[in-house]
């Protein structure tokens, strides 16, 4: 990493840094940001690219950051590693999502080849431990898919009535209810489908003014598209593309979250000039704005 990039200051077992704009983290390659708002803190859980350059994914652990102003960030000791999932030792630490329920934090993660796991912690910064000792979902739960990395990219949404939902998939998008214990699927697994749905991966559900929004990566190289529905189970209506291809990264992976009265779009690009790219990605944040009819304005991906 070049010296002019933002370097963190060590504070005990943590690191603190002030972002100078996008990419917000410049001392690690980070990807697949999943945001969680708790009180006045925004927590951000990310994947961690080790590769540098274009050598393919090398993802051994996940990282966690917090902020209270979207500028100064704290990085915590590594909260979760792929080797913590003994059933997934040869996997890659692909995209995840953390949800809070009854004071516990559940981290749903992709292991690439072996399915989706869930880890649990008492605190948002961890440490997290495998909650099941086996996958929560496997390729068998992706009944319309035939490729080995179909079971990735979990996204959780806890609805206003308290029902937790999990969405996931690659090429096909699936969803199911979770039981109140957050570590078992409750009932039938269903597939999302609607006119114009060209799904690659990275589903994310959020709600705004009573409507459900499904954002997801489409095409390859990926752009983020979105659809809206009156019911979480659909039918969804395709609404368009939210952002262009993110610089020199073939993938993109978003989260959409409201924090202190503003809506944010967190994503990644290949933005660090030294060695950035599809396997050396960097998390960015930009504002997300709605039109009066509830549709979302095109995201302006900035360096600010
Ligand atoms: O980071 C590994 C994979 O790349 C994620 O699981 C996908 O969403 C894509 O971003």
């Amino acid at each position: 990493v070049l010296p002019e990039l933002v370097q963190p200051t060590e504070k005990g077992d943590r690191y603190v840094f002030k972002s100078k704009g996008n990419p917000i983290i410049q001392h690690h390659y980070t990807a697949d940001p999943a945001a969680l708002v708790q009180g006045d803190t925004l927590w951000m859980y990310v994947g961690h690219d080790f590769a540098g350059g274009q050598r393919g994914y090398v993802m051994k652990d996940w990282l966690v950051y917090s902020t209270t102003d979207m500028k100064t960030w704290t990085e915590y000791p590594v909260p979760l590693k792929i080797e913590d999932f003994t059933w997934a030792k040869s996997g890659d630490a692909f995209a995840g999502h953390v949800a809070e329920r009854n004071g516990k934090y559940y981290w749903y993660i992709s292991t690439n080849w072996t399915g989706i796991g869930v880890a649990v912690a008492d605190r948002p910064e961890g440490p997290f431990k495998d909650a099941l000792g086996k996958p929560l979902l496997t390729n068998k739960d992706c009944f319309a898919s035939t490729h080995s990395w179909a079971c990735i990219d979990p996204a959780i949404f806890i609805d206003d009535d308290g029902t937790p939902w999990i969405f996931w998939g690659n090429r096909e998008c699936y969803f199911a209810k979770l039981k109140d214990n957050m570590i078992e699927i409750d009932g039938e697994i269903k597939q999302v489908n609607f006119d114009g749905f060209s799904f690659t991966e990275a589903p994310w559900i959020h709600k705004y003014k009573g409507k459900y929004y499904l954002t997801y990566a489409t095409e390859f190289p990926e752009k983020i598209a979105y659809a809206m529905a009156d019911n979480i189970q659909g039918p969804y209506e395709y609404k368009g593309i939210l952002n262009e291809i993110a610089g020199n990264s073939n993938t993109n992976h978003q989260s959409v979250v409201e924090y202190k009265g503003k809506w944010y779009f967190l994503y990644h690009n290949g933005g660090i000039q030294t060695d950035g790219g599809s396997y050396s990605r960097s998390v960015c944040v930009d504002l997300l704005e709605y039109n009066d009819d509830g549709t979302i304005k095109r995201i302006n991906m900035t360096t600010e």
Side-chain angles (χ1 to χ4, degrees), residues 35 142 174 176 180 191 196-198 204 240 245 271 274 288 293-294:
C142 301
Y174 301 92
D180 195 46
Q191 206 181 331
F197 192 37
S198 173
W204 178 274
I245 296 163
T274 42
L288 178 143
D293 64 359

Side-chain angles (χ1 to χ4, degrees), residues 32 57 59 94-95 152-153 201 251 253 268 281:
D32 308 325
Y57 292 120
M59 302 184 79
F94 271 22
I152 62 168
D153 289 5
E201 55 190 0
T251 63
H253 192 125
H268 66 234
R281 299 162 292 178

Side-chain angles (χ1 to χ4, degrees), residues 69-84:
D69 63 4
M70 299 304 280
K71 289 192 184 82
T72 304
W73 295 84
T74 301
E75 178 184 304
Y76 297 82
V78 174
L80 190 62
K81 297 181 185 149
I82 191 73
E83 65 198 31
D84 295 332

Side-chain angles (χ1 to χ4, degrees), residues 177-217:
K177 265 186 208 168
L178 284 163
K179 289 192 181 165
D180 195 46
N181 65 14
M182 299 295 275
I183 58 171
E184 281 178 275
I185 299 297
D186 188 2
E188 204 187 337
I189 291 172
K190 297 182 182 167
Q191 206 181 331
V192 182
N193 251 324
F194 52 86
D195 280 349
F197 192 37
S198 173
F199 177 77
T200 307
E201 55 190 0
W204 178 274
I205 296 280
H206 76 273
K207 201 170 179 180
Y208 173 71
K209 294 195 174 167
K211 302 274 184 200
Y212 296 87
Y213 292 74
L214 169 64
T215 52
Y216 55 93

Side-chain angles (χ1 to χ4, degrees), residues 45-237:
Y45 301 85
V46 301
H48 183 190
D49 281 335
F50 282 74
Q54 303 300 324
R55 290 189 295 271
Y57 292 120
V58 182
M59 302 184 79
K60 302 175 192 169
D61 58 27
W62 293 268
L63 299 173
V64 55
Y65 296 84
S66 71
T67 184
T68 53
D69 63 4
M70 299 304 280
K71 289 192 184 82
T72 304
W73 295 84
T74 301
E75 178 184 304
Y76 297 82
V78 174
L80 190 62
K81 297 181 185 149
I82 191 73
E83 65 198 31
D84 295 332
F85 299 93
T86 50
W87 46 269
K89 257 189 184 133
S90 63
D92 296 306
F94 271 22
H97 185 169
V98 175
E100 186 271 341
R101 178 87 164 180
N102 298 331
K104 295 230 184 260
Y105 296 83
Y106 296 89
W107 199 334
Y108 301 81
I109 51 86
S110 317
T111 59
N112 194 2
W113 316 112
T114 37
I116 288 171
V118 54
V120 63
D122 293 328
R123 300 178 57 81
E125 68 270 34
F128 285 79
K129 283 199 166 61
D130 184 2
L132 284 172
K134 61 178 186 178
L136 172 70
L137 293 161
T138 67
N139 276 350
K140 279 192 247 150
D141 300 308
C142 301
F143 45 83
S145 302
T146 50
H147 59 298
S148 55
W149 65 98
C151 189
I152 62 168
D153 289 5
I156 307 302
F157 180 76
I158 301 179
D159 212 339
D160 302 332
D161 66 0
T163 307
W165 295 87
I166 180 167
F167 283 65
W168 74 96
N170 177 289
R171 294 191 202 161
E172 287 84 31
C173 183
Y174 301 92
F175 68 99
K177 265 186 208 168
L178 284 163
K179 289 192 181 165
D180 195 46
N181 65 14
M182 299 295 275
I183 58 171
E184 281 178 275
I185 299 297
D186 188 2
E188 204 187 337
I189 291 172
K190 297 182 182 167
Q191 206 181 331
V192 182
N193 251 324
F194 52 86
D195 280 349
F197 192 37
S198 173
F199 177 77
T200 307
E201 55 190 0
W204 178 274
I205 296 280
H206 76 273
K207 201 170 179 180
Y208 173 71
K209 294 195 174 167
K211 302 274 184 200
Y212 296 87
Y213 292 74
L214 169 64
T215 52
Y216 55 93
T218 186
E219 302 168 13
F220 198 81
E222 295 172 350
K223 300 174 181 180
I224 304 302
Y226 79 109
M228 290 171 63
D230 291 326
N231 186 305
I232 193 160
Q233 302 198 60
Y236 282 88
E237 190 181 334

